């Protein structure tokens, strides 16, 4: 029997970011700016998490807590902003949201190296704002099949001037 | 010798008759079962009746209670995905429709006295199946004190402030629980209760025990590696033999 | 086996831990592990006691867990980036019992571009995590280096990375509380850069013609150094660990005050208005100001040059 309601994309906006996530992707857009956890003067910036599976609570900014429950068909995307002074620095010299190819992913390009998974990380500047984009595939072997879904999500990502 | 052959022939005939009778009775049983199953009478080729669409309506004798909604859930309410804001201001979009897992939505508030038990129980391990995701939904910031919700929100449980979700699910008040079947995108059960324990029993009945079906999709890399566990239990055994129990002050001396 | 009870216990435990390895080095390593397990930092914010082994190296301490080793484990005990690596970025775990309930910072040491480190699993101590296997970068530090290279090891600090590595690390926060339980026997309170005291906010300079009365203070911009005019009469500069400078005008100037005169002279008066101490910088010209620097040095400058310094 099919689904009662046709799946719809969902929009999340905030902090000058906008993502239109297709079904069955989920999204979280947050900024950890509680004074009691930034007592030394840390600068809190927006973090966007996108995934085609149920995102567990209690995740690290680069996805721990979520990557451990990923199956071979799952994809996790994290977008983290940095302070404006870093824009266009050599690490952030690339302009525009990158589109990683399947061959760009590696088993060692992971924050937390887990069997079977593949990761890719890229730094860039968009609209004067420096970011890191990090993608984890539940199955590196299926990168050619999973990466188009990543592109579809990134195609609907908009980064404003902030 | 001739007598022996005759006896064997007679026995063989009797067995043949018995086998034929058993086979006929078995066929008869199958036919009756199919009829009870709503398959209708079989034609000469043994196929189902042409033009019949779906099971025959279930009937009960007068005086007996009717069963619940039909098994395929066609008359169950439609479910909705949840969009809102977390107590910490995070923008949240989570899926309940067309996903592999089921979702138990707990509609709570900060002001209702009977919600307090739920908030407390959520801080302990919940008795839900492994493929059921628990999400607390309160009304939005226009109705709730976000700081108070943040104080009540238990770690490890999604909490979403969403007045729209309350409207979508027609929530009459709090506490209220809705179980959504992810695969069909329909509500499988809903109601209220005095505690999560009570509600989870209701959910279990609505779910038909399906909450106990296997682990959700996706492998978990959590838990300690075997070598870690073995070493830890070895060390713990020796410490115990030496009379050093968990919490012994000697285990917590600060080294500078 | 002879020796004290603790030694016999340590010996039995060491034998258990290193049962698969028979060498003397592994026995000593095992004994060291247990020794560390018996003297670890308190897990005051955890409600559940843990095994001694877990206390020494914490959670996810095997290579299969996918995390990188700690620098002190592979760098001769030094909680610092080894040669041919650079600080590539950092993250924090909040409310860490290892840092007095405040943030604990994990600073990644990435392989310097052009330098190869073989990916392998560390086998020494219980910190059996990965060395140079995860090609990943947190990105707040040394952003003039564009490459993403393998993480060789992790440095630990209770002090923010931009204070431990000034001019190298920015403050853009990344948080991962799932790593809060990671540790290693070589990490101690002393070598993980205990957080410095932060004094109350106050101006960091005193302009000409203005006065510090008893109880008034200057605070450096980073709030780790303060200059207080004490009721007892002394003007004292100190940080969280020690006194850096004093006018030594206690008790002669008891109840007095310190004034930076328009001439550029810093003067300490007693309660009767008598001069007890001066910096001798009258006539320095310009626009004098008394300034407390982050370095802990108190200076008088005239807008062009320093005319007096406490150090």
């Amino acid at each position: 029997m099919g689904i009662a309601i046709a799946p719809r994309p969902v929009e999340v906006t905030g902090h000058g970011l906008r993502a239109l996530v297709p079904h069955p992707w989920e999204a979280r857009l947050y900024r950890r700016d509680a004074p009691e956890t930034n007592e030394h003067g840390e600068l809190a910036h927006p973090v966007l998490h996108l995934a085609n599976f149920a995102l567990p609570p209690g995740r690290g900014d680069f996805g721990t807590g979520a990557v451990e429950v990923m199956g071979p068909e799952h994809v996790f995307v994290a977008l983290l902003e940095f302070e404006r002074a870093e824009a266009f620095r050599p690490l952030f010299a690339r302009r525009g949201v990158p589109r990683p190819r399947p061959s760009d992913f590696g088993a060692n390009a992971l924050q937390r190296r887990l069997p079977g998974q593949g990761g890719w990380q890229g730094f860039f500047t968009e609209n004067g704002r420096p970011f890191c984009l990090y993608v984890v595939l539940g199955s590196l072997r299926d990168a050619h099949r999973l990466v188009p879904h990543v592109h579809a999500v990134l195609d609907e990502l908009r980064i404003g001037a902030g | 010798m001739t007598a022996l052959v005759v006896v064997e022939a007679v026995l063989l005939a009797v067995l043949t008759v018995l086998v034929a009778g058993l086979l006929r009775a078995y066929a008869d049983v199958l036919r009756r079962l199919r009829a009870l199953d709503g398959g209708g009478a079989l034609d000469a080729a043994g196929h189902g009746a042409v033009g019949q669409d779906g099971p025959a309506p279930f009937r009960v004798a007068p005086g007996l209670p009717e069963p619940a909604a039909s098994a395929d859930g066609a008359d169950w309410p439609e479910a909705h995905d949840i969009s809102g804001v977390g107590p910490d201001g995070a923008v949240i979009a989570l899926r309940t429709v067309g996903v592999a897992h089921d979702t138990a939505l707990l509609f709570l508030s900060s002001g209702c006295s009977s919600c307090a038990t739920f908030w407390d129980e959520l801080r302990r391990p919940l008795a839900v199946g492994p493929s059921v995701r628990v999400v607390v939904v309160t009304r939005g910031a226009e109705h709730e004190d976000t700081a108070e919700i943040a104080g009540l929100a238990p770690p490890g449980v999604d909490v979403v402030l969403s007045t729209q979700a309350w409207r979508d699910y027609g929530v009459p008040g709090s506490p209220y629980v809705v179980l959504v079947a992810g695969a069909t995108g329909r509500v499988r059960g809903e109601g209220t209760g005095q505690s999560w324990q009570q509600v989870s029993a209701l959910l279990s009945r609505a779910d038909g025990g399906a909450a106990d079906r296997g682990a959700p999709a996706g492998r978990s890399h959590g838990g300690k590696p075997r070598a870690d566990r073995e070493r830890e239990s070895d060390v713990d055994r020796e410490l115990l033999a030496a009379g050093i129990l968990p919490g012994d002050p000697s285990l917590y001396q600060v080294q500078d | 086996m002879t020796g004290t009870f603790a030694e016999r216990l340590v010996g039995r435990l060491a034998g258990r831990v290193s049962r698969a390895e028979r060498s003397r080095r592994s026995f000593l390593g095992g004994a060291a592990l247990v020794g560390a397990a018996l003297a670890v930092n308190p897990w005051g914010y955890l409600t559940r006691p843990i095994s001694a082994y877990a206390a020494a190296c914490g959670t996810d301490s095997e290579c299969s867990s996918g995390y990188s080793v700690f620098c002190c484990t592979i760098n001769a005990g030094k909680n610092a980036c080894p040669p041919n690596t650079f600080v590539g970025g950092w993250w924090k775990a909040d409310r860490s019992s290892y840092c007095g309930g405040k943030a604990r910072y994990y600073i990644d040491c990435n392989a310097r571009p052009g330098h190869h480190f073989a990916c392998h699993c560390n086998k020494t101590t219980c910190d059996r995590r990965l060395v140079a296997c995860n090609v990943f970068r947190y990105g707040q530090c040394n952003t003039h280096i564009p490459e993403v290279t393998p993480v060789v090891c992790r440095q630990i600090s209770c002090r923010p990375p931009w204070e431990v590595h000034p001019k190298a690390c920015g403050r853009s926060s990344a948080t991962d509380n799932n790593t809060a339980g990671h540790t290693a026997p070589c990490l101690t309170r002393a070598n993980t850069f205990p957080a410095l005291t932060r004094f109350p906010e106050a101006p960091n300079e005193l302009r000409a013609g203005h006065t510090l009365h008893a109880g008034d203070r200057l605070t450096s911009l980073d709030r780790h150094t303060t200059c207080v005019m004490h009721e007892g009469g002394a003007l004292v500069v100190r940080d969280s660990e020690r006194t850096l400078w004093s006018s030594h005008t206690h008790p002669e100037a008891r109840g007095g005050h310190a004034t930076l005169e328009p001439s550029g002279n810093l003067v300490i008066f007693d309660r009767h208005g008598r001069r007890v101490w001066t910096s001798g910088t009258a006539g320095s010209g310009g626009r004098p100001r008394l300034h407390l620097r982050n370095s802990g040095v108190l200076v008088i400058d005239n807008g062009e040059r320093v005319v007096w310094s406490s150090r």
Side-chain angles (χ1 to χ4, degrees), chain B residues 199-215:
Chain B
V199 163
S200 64
L202 293 170
L203 290 177
S204 182
R205 285 210 291 277
D207 199 33
D212 291 331
R213 63 182 175 272

Side-chain angles (χ1 to χ4, degrees), chain A residues 42 64 86 111-112 121, chain C residues 65 105 135 137-138 143 176:
Chain A
E42 292 87 340
T64 62
E86 300 291 357
Q111 177 220 16
R112 182 179 184 182
Q121 186 186 26
Chain C
S65 299
Y105 300 92
V135 181
R137 193 166 163 189
Y138 278 82
T143 55
D176 190 344

Side-chain angles (χ1 to χ4, degrees), chain C residues 171 198 201-204 219-225 291-294:
Chain C
R171 302 184 181 219
R198 300 180 82 79
E201 276 191 16
N204 70 320
T219 299
S220 61
L221 287 177
D222 63 8
R223 294 175 60 188
H224 294 321
T225 312
H291 180 215
L292 180 61
R293 294 175 169 171
N294 286 341

Side-chain angles (χ1 to χ4, degrees), chain C residues 173-198:
Chain C
S173 186
T175 300
D176 190 344
N177 293 320
N178 295 314
T179 61
H182 296 185
T183 191
C186 52
L187 292 171
T188 66
R189 207 158 86 180
N191 73 0
T192 52
F193 307 92
L196 299 175
T197 299
R198 300 180 82 79

Side-chain angles (χ1 to χ4, degrees), chain A residues 32 37 39-43 45 58 60-62 64 82-83 86 89-91 108-113 121 123, chain C residues 60 65-67 92 95 103 105 133-138 143-144 146 160 162 170-176 178:
Chain A
R32 301 184 197 252
T37 56
E39 67 266 344
H40 290 133
E42 292 87 340
L43 297 175
H45 299 290
D61 286 349
F62 279 98
T64 62
F82 290 72
E83 52 189 312
E86 300 291 357
R89 293 275 291 165
L91 180 62
N108 58 356
L110 291 164
Q111 177 220 16
R112 182 179 184 182
R113 196 165 164 152
Q121 186 186 26
F123 295 84
Chain C
D60 304 316
S65 299
Y67 289 104
K92 68 179 170 80
R95 303 184 187 92
Y105 300 92
C133 296
N134 296 3
V135 181
F136 187 85
R137 193 166 163 189
Y138 278 82
T143 55
H144 63 285
W162 56 89
R171 302 184 181 219
S172 296
S173 186
T175 300
D176 190 344
N178 295 314

Side-chain angles (χ1 to χ4, degrees), chain B residues 38-64:
Chain B
L42 298 173
D43 61 16
H47 299 142
V50 174
Q52 191 163 19
D53 52 348
F58 187 83
R59 298 174 297 165
V60 296
L64 290 176

